[in-house]
Amino acid sequence: MRTMQDWLDSYSSDHQNPTNRLFHWLCVPPIVWSVIALLWAIPVPTAFLRPGAWAVAVMVLAFYWYWKHSRRLAVALLIVFALLGLLTNFLYYQLGGASLCYLAIGVFVVAWIGQFIGHKFEGRRPSFLTDLSYLLIGPAWLMAKLLHRLGFKQTT
């Protein structure tokens, strides 16, 4: 099984260009939010669940995957998930499910266009085209960089 450091090192090797890295800082967080928002907008049986139940379920699964690979990154990303969940819940009740969905689709499309523009500068295809697991590594890679800047040296 690959370690989180193996994943991060591999991801870093595909993201050497400073412009591509900037695009990732600008685009990955909105992509994560838009996925959460799209899942939040999926209707649930209100007798049993609250709006956002699908998003919370996916965040729990992602957290579990991160936890298996790096507890420090998992906890940090859980905090981000919680904040994004609170933001999305607020927007859901302000805008309604349909408007939230349209907003999330717009953000998703624009942010992915940004990702592909960044990879044009890199001259390499996005990592997830070789392994879908890299869709989880992008947020972890940014979090690892943020934690390092804050003085945390290890990813495990």
Side-chain angles (χ1 to χ4, degrees), residues 4-21:
M4 180 55 80
Q5 195 59 54
D6 293 337
W7 285 106
L8 296 175
D9 290 345
S10 176
Y11 196 86
S12 284
S13 71
D14 290 340
H15 299 83
Q16 296 294 309
N17 181 282
T19 303
N20 186 30
R21 288 180 179 210

Side-chain angles (χ1 to χ4, degrees), residues 2-77:
R2 292 172 84 172
T3 67
M4 180 55 80
Q5 195 59 54
D6 293 337
W7 285 106
L8 296 175
D9 290 345
S10 176
Y11 196 86
S12 284
S13 71
D14 290 340
H15 299 83
Q16 296 294 309
N17 181 282
T19 303
N20 186 30
R21 288 180 179 210
L22 175 62
F23 271 93
H24 278 65
W25 279 103
L26 296 173
C27 296
V28 170
I31 289 170
V32 172
W33 173 80
S34 66
V35 169
I36 290 169
L38 286 167
L39 291 167
W40 208 281
I42 297 173
V44 295
T46 55
F48 304 108
L49 300 169
R50 294 181 50 169
W54 298 116
V56 171
V58 169
M59 287 188 276
V60 167
L61 290 173
F63 170 76
Y64 174 71
W65 190 88
Y66 290 129
W67 185 260
K68 286 187 345 184
H69 291 84
S70 169
R71 292 187 176 173
R72 180 172 294 158
L73 284 176
V75 170
L77 287 164

Side-chain angles (χ1 to χ4, degrees), residues 29 32-33 36-37 40 59 79-89:
V32 172
W33 173 80
I36 290 169
W40 208 281
M59 287 188 276
I79 293 167
V80 171
F81 288 160
L83 293 172
L84 292 175
L86 289 170
L87 170 65
T88 306
N89 188 58

